[in-house]
Amino acid sequence: MGDNRHLETNFYKKLTNYPPVFSSKIIGNFNDTGLSEKLNFVTKKEIIPSGSINVNTIVGSDNEEYTGLSWKELLVSGEKMREHILQAESNPEYYHNKNIKEGIAFITVDDKNYTTGTGNNRSCIAKFLLFNAEDSHIHGVRITKYSIDNSILEQYKTIKHKKKEKWKQTKSDEKRIKHRHVQTPEIGR
């Protein structure tokens, strides 16, 4: 990880000296979404080559190097953050225009967005920069969106749980019956 604490640009000072309310929130881990279990309940998978994401719905990443950090910790110590902050200061329009942003991609599950690929540092900057902006969307990003039938998923989980409980009860009953049928030796033979 880099160390950007001594980056003395006005842009960086503005982002770190007046951090938004989300800055102390922990970056979620995409692997915790349970997508592998939910894949059987996907009703639609949509790939959007150039879409828009509200930065306030970015909650995590698929890069475990960044998950578990707060957003401010990533801003201060992200591997390529120094380079991207200097670029953002020299070209702030990058985060506001609708041009395609190569390398910034998101996976959307349950209306929550997770950065995937190489765009973690720029997604973090976008969160800080656009948090209170009139348009809080970053445009021109690749989105893979999964729509999940959560009502069917919940029914499946309920049935799975009941089946597991019934299996435990059956095993317990079998053990109790087996124990009862153990022959006790006859006394006096």
Side-chain angles (χ1 to χ4, degrees):
M1 291 265 201
D3 185 355
N4 302 311
R5 285 177 286 207
H6 303 293
L7 190 59
E8 296 296 326
T9 68
N10 290 332
F11 179 81
Y12 181 75
K13 287 178 185 176
K14 178 184 171 192
L15 295 181
T16 56
N17 290 343
Y18 305 101
V21 67
F22 73 83
S23 66
S24 62
K25 288 191 177 180
I26 300 300
I27 299 170
N29 188 330
F30 171 72
N31 295 321
D32 294 341
T33 63
L35 183 61
S36 59
E37 181 182 34
K38 295 176 181 181
L39 283 176
N40 292 320
F41 304 95
V42 170
T43 57
K44 183 178 180 184
K45 177 182 177 183
E46 185 178 4
I47 297 175
I48 304 163
S50 179
S52 300
I53 292 287
N54 182 328
V55 297
N56 298 312
T57 64
I58 302 171
V59 297
S61 172
D62 70 348
N63 185 330
E64 295 193 3
E65 183 178 337
Y66 300 127
T67 60
L69 297 176
S70 71
W71 290 100
K72 186 172 181 181
E73 287 172 323
L74 176 55
L75 184 71
V76 171
S77 63
E79 184 179 329
K80 298 178 185 174
M81 196 58 80
R82 178 182 206 76
E83 170 189 339
H84 290 301
I85 287 172
L86 292 172
Q87 287 174 350
E89 187 166 69
S90 67
N91 182 17
E93 191 56 32
Y94 173 84
Y95 291 92
H96 298 281
N97 68 39
K98 295 186 179 183
N99 297 342
I100 291 177
K101 315 278 185 294
E102 292 296 330
I104 301 182
F106 295 92
I107 296 174
T108 304
V109 179
D110 296 329
D111 298 321
K112 295 176 183 161
N113 292 291
Y114 297 84
T115 307
T116 184
T118 60
N120 287 281
N121 289 273
R122 288 173 288 161
S123 295
C124 180
I125 292 171
K127 275 186 74 71
F128 277 85
L129 189 63
L130 302 175
F131 175 68
N132 281 326
E134 189 174 309
D135 181 8
S136 61
H137 290 75
I138 183 166
H139 305 283
V141 296
R142 180 180 173 83
I143 304 166
T144 303
K145 183 176 182 176
Y146 293 93
S147 298
I148 296 165
D149 190 332
N150 284 308
S151 65
I152 298 292
L153 174 61
E154 288 307 311
Q155 288 176 22
Y156 166 76
K157 286 180 178 180
T158 300
I159 291 168
K160 187 177 171 181
H161 177 74
K162 285 180 180 179
K163 187 176 178 180
K164 185 177 180 179
E165 290 302 311
K166 186 172 183 168
W167 182 84
K168 284 181 183 178
Q169 184 62 47
T170 301
K171 288 297 177 187
S172 177
D173 291 347
E174 287 174 358
K175 196 175 188 179
R176 200 171 44 252
I177 291 168
K178 187 177 181 181
H179 182 69
R180 255 192 252 156
H181 285 65
V182 172
Q183 298 288 332
T184 54
E186 290 183 29
I187 302 177
R189 274 192 171 190

